[in-house]
Amino acid sequence: MITDSLTFVHKAIRSGQRVLVEGANALMLDIDFGTYPYVTASNTGIGGVSTGLGIPPALIETTIGIVKAYTTRVGEGPFPTELKDELGKKLQDIGHEFGATTGRPRRCGWIDIPLLRYSHMINNYSSINITKLDVLDTFDEVLLGTQYKINGKPIDYMPSTDEELAQVEVEYEKFKGWKTDISKIREWDKLPSEAKTYLARVEELLGIPVSWVGTGPDREAMALKSI
């Protein structure tokens, strides 16, 4: 169907319908706020809702951040929490981390809290949905990258150049793995205590709630948290 999408979307909004907009790429591929030059040609953050669809910011009610339980990246570009060892390969294999179009393997690493804070600063998430938590089921330890440092000194900003990001050292917090299959869990309270501890720390560090957790590859494999 070919139509005037601007009029179509605004008619739906005015009639009280719910409009769901899904971003196609992660924020760090954003042409303005991403890790240039390793970016795409458009706004992949919240700004894309206005520049791409013509929906004014005042009409956006809720913004949900979709975050894997670990970090991935396809192709070149800075990646402070990347795992260049057997743990990175394990994440790649269990998570089937290969590009959907190109088949290229995705680089893998631990969750990057400074990067997520930067993303939240731009997108103002109401909550986040952590996907693929089950990929970590067999890990003895799970780490969170919590602080960037340059020359041993903590920084409170996202480096703006590839050269500066290459100098970043990451401080980590370690958590005990849950070592159990969570793929059949659909209720938050039934998650292993170790997994809930890990998720609670993510919430604390970001200052926003985790509203859903992906517990397996099936569409229904989600545990919803009341917030």
Side-chain angles (χ1 to χ4, degrees), residues 69-70 94 130-139 142 176-199 212-218 220-224:
Y70 50 96
I94 297 175
I130 292 189
T131 66
K132 305 185 81 166
L133 186 67
D134 56 297
V135 172
L136 303 178
D137 282 354
T138 61
F139 282 72
V142 178
K176 182 181 177 182
W178 39 98
K179 303 286 287 183
T180 188
D181 181 2
I182 65 170
S183 62
K184 300 295 189 293
I185 294 176
R186 303 293 182 269
E187 297 176 32
W188 185 276
D189 290 342
K190 293 185 179 179
L191 288 169
S193 60
E194 295 87 353
K196 286 190 281 189
T197 297
Y198 171 73
L199 295 170
W212 293 274
V213 171
T215 57
D218 295 338
E220 299 79 18
M222 299 289 294
L224 172 64

Side-chain angles (χ1 to χ4, degrees), residues 118-152:
Y118 175 72
S119 181
H120 177 41
M121 188 187 307
I122 294 165
N123 293 303
N124 191 35
Y125 298 126
S126 308
S127 66
I128 59 173
N129 177 349
I130 292 189
T131 66
K132 305 185 81 166
L133 186 67
D134 56 297
V135 172
L136 303 178
D137 282 354
T138 61
F139 282 72
D140 295 322
E141 287 185 329
V142 178
L143 274 64
L144 288 178
T146 58
Q147 176 69 60
Y148 283 179
K149 293 182 177 181
I150 293 181
N151 296 324

